[in-house]
Amino acid sequence: SFFALVVILLLVTGFYLAFIASDQYVSEARFAVRGGDQSSLSIAGLLGMTNTDQGQNSLILVNYLQSRGLVEQLDKSLGLRKLYARDGIDFLSRFNVDRPIEDLTRYWRWHSSVSMETISGVVTVAVRAFTPQDALAVANEVIANSEKLVNDLSDRSRRDALRTAKTELERAEATLQDKVRAMRDLRNSDQLLDANITAEVMTKMLGELRLSRIKLEQEYSALIRSVKPDSPNARVLNARITSLKGEIAKLEEQMTQPAGSKGATLSDAMSRFNREKLELDFAQKQYVTASAAYERARVELESQQVYLATFLKPVLAQEPLYPKRWWIWSIMLVGCLALWGAGIGSAALVRNY
């Protein structure tokens, strides 16, 4: 039993690893998703942490590197099926070109490894192939597809932001035009260009009329001390005072009216003008804000805000790193001994009981 379960299996495994198993070469690349406006003085930069958007983009990239979408792109650009199905590859490691894309995806996951450091956001991808040139070509293609994915994600979000900003700008422009037309219609209906300026002019006129009335009343009081009230000069002054009082009362009625009375007054026009002016000012500020947001979104669309910083580019491998022959043979040794010991123990239990 020891010879059958241990010696023969180890000899077969050793013969396969030594003379049949194909060498596998590794090309490794390390990169990180970085933003064009990232500041080293930010809290995240001081703590050595990535911000939320970049961390999310890194996680998306890690999932993409093990996905079927990347495998289909690699198969389309490099012929991944044929690359892993060459004649020089041993029968256990060779891929069957007739198998579906799901099997190719599982095969790719077995021959590639992806990891990400949580704090720094650095993504490490290692690609295995059966020649150094193939490993290097696949690693470079992986980086190219990763850059394309990052650019597509950034471009899509920026285009969505530009579309939203344009919609808000058009809405703000339409609102501003409505408020401008409403102000024009109000001026035409009330026949006033500016109620506040008109009120200032009328207030100034009212003050001058009141001042003139006071002066005439003082002259009248001084005059009747020396002449009779029915004298010509006294009657003229009294008539002028009465006229001024009528003009003052008429002007006051145009400006304000007692509570409960009806009629258009300057105070009502001022209320309407102030309300329309307030809405017009708010619409103008809203338009300025929307215009600035649209311009900012347009500039961000034309600039690359997110990019792939590859600081460790793949190089041509000098020696194979896989398969790890002694490691595999040691595992087989431990497994065979464990299997043989379990069988012997089970046989002893059966014999004794």
Side-chain angles (χ1 to χ4, degrees):
S1 63
F2 180 82
F3 183 80
L5 295 177
V6 179
V7 177
I8 292 179
L9 290 179
L10 289 179
L11 289 176
V12 172
T13 302
F15 180 80
Y16 169 77
L17 293 175
F19 301 103
I20 300 177
S22 301
D23 293 334
Q24 299 181 24
Y25 298 85
V26 178
S27 285
E28 182 180 288
R30 295 186 180 183
F31 44 80
V33 179
R34 287 292 179 262
D37 56 350
Q38 185 181 14
S39 175
S40 60
L41 298 179
S42 62
I43 299 298
L46 293 175
L47 296 179
M49 299 172 60
T50 58
N51 59 37
T52 304
D53 294 337
Q54 294 174 7
Q56 187 177 12
N57 291 334
S58 299
L59 291 175
I60 293 174
L61 184 58
V62 168
N63 292 326
Y64 173 73
L65 291 175
Q66 296 279 291
S67 67
R68 173 177 170 175
L70 176 62
V71 174
E72 290 178 347
Q73 290 294 329
L74 294 176
D75 192 25
K76 184 184 300 182
S77 58
L78 292 177
L80 198 64
R81 294 173 179 270
K82 296 179 180 179
L83 189 144
Y84 284 117
R86 293 180 176 177
D87 295 334
I89 304 174
D90 67 88
F91 64 95
L92 290 181
S93 302
R94 187 187 306 123
F95 180 75
N96 187 359
V97 294
D98 297 328
R99 302 303 298 271
I101 187 64
E102 289 79 9
D103 291 341
L104 182 60
T105 303
R106 286 190 289 267
Y107 186 89
W108 165 255
R109 291 172 182 173
W110 178 255
H111 286 78
S112 64
S113 63
V114 182
S115 62
M116 187 188 77
E117 296 180 7
T118 306
I119 297 178
S120 62
V122 174
V123 179
T124 303
V125 55
V127 177
R128 284 189 287 166
F130 297 96
T131 63
Q133 294 78 14
D134 289 345
L136 180 61
V138 174
N140 287 328
E141 192 66 21
V142 167
I143 293 177
N145 283 274
S146 300
E147 290 179 347
K148 184 177 182 300
L149 174 67
V150 170
N151 292 333
D152 290 343
L153 290 175
S154 176
D155 184 71
R156 188 180 308 165
S157 62
R158 286 178 288 164
R159 288 188 182 277
D160 292 340
L162 181 63
R163 190 181 302 111
T164 303
K166 185 178 180 180
T167 303
E168 292 297 328
L169 179 60
E170 292 175 351
R171 184 182 295 111
E173 184 177 2
T175 303
L176 179 60
Q177 292 177 355
D178 293 339
K179 297 306 177 183
V180 171
R181 285 192 294 267
M183 178 63 77
R184 182 198 60 193
D185 297 338
L186 180 61
R187 286 170 177 170
N188 293 334
S189 61
D190 289 354
Q191 296 181 352
L192 292 174
L193 293 178
D194 194 327
N196 293 323
I197 296 178
T198 303
E200 292 178 0
V201 173
M202 294 182 68
T203 302
K204 185 177 180 180
M205 291 174 57
L206 183 61
E208 293 177 353
L209 291 176
R210 287 175 176 173
L211 182 61
S212 299
R213 186 195 65 183
I214 293 173
K215 290 181 179 180
L216 290 177
E217 288 178 348
Q218 291 176 352
E219 292 179 4
Y220 180 78
S221 298
L223 183 62
I224 61 176
R225 292 176 184 172
S226 58
V227 298
K228 295 181 179 181
D230 56 351
S231 64
N233 291 336
R235 287 199 301 269
V236 170
L237 286 177
N238 192 19
R240 292 179 62 185
I241 292 172
T242 304
S243 177
L244 285 176
K245 288 182 178 180
E247 292 180 3
I248 291 172
K250 184 179 180 181
L251 194 59
E252 288 177 348
E253 289 179 359
Q254 292 178 359
M255 295 179 65
T256 58
Q257 283 186 354
S261 60
K262 297 181 180 181
T265 60
L266 184 59
S267 61
D268 296 333
M270 288 181 62
S271 300
R272 292 191 296 269
F273 267 86
N274 290 335
R275 182 174 62 253
E276 292 294 336
K277 185 66 168 55
L278 180 62
E279 294 180 357
L280 180 60
D281 292 341
F282 181 77
Q284 289 176 345
K285 293 180 180 179
Q286 191 176 18
Y287 177 78
V288 171
T289 303
S291 180
Y294 175 78
E295 186 66 19
R296 184 169 56 252
R298 186 187 62 80
V299 173
E300 290 179 355
L301 180 62
E302 295 177 355
S303 62
Q304 187 177 8
Q305 294 294 319
V306 180
Y307 61 94
L308 197 69
T310 305
F311 59 89
L312 182 60
K313 296 183 178 180
V315 296
L316 192 67
Q318 299 295 324
E319 61 180 11
L321 298 181
Y322 294 92
K324 297 183 180 297
R325 291 175 170 83
W326 285 107
W327 185 75
I328 296 176
W329 194 84
S330 301
I331 292 178
M332 286 297 299
L333 174 62
V334 174
C336 291
L337 290 176
L339 180 63
W340 177 75
I344 293 300
S346 299
L349 289 175
V350 171
R351 182 184 60 186
N352 294 333
Y353 296 98

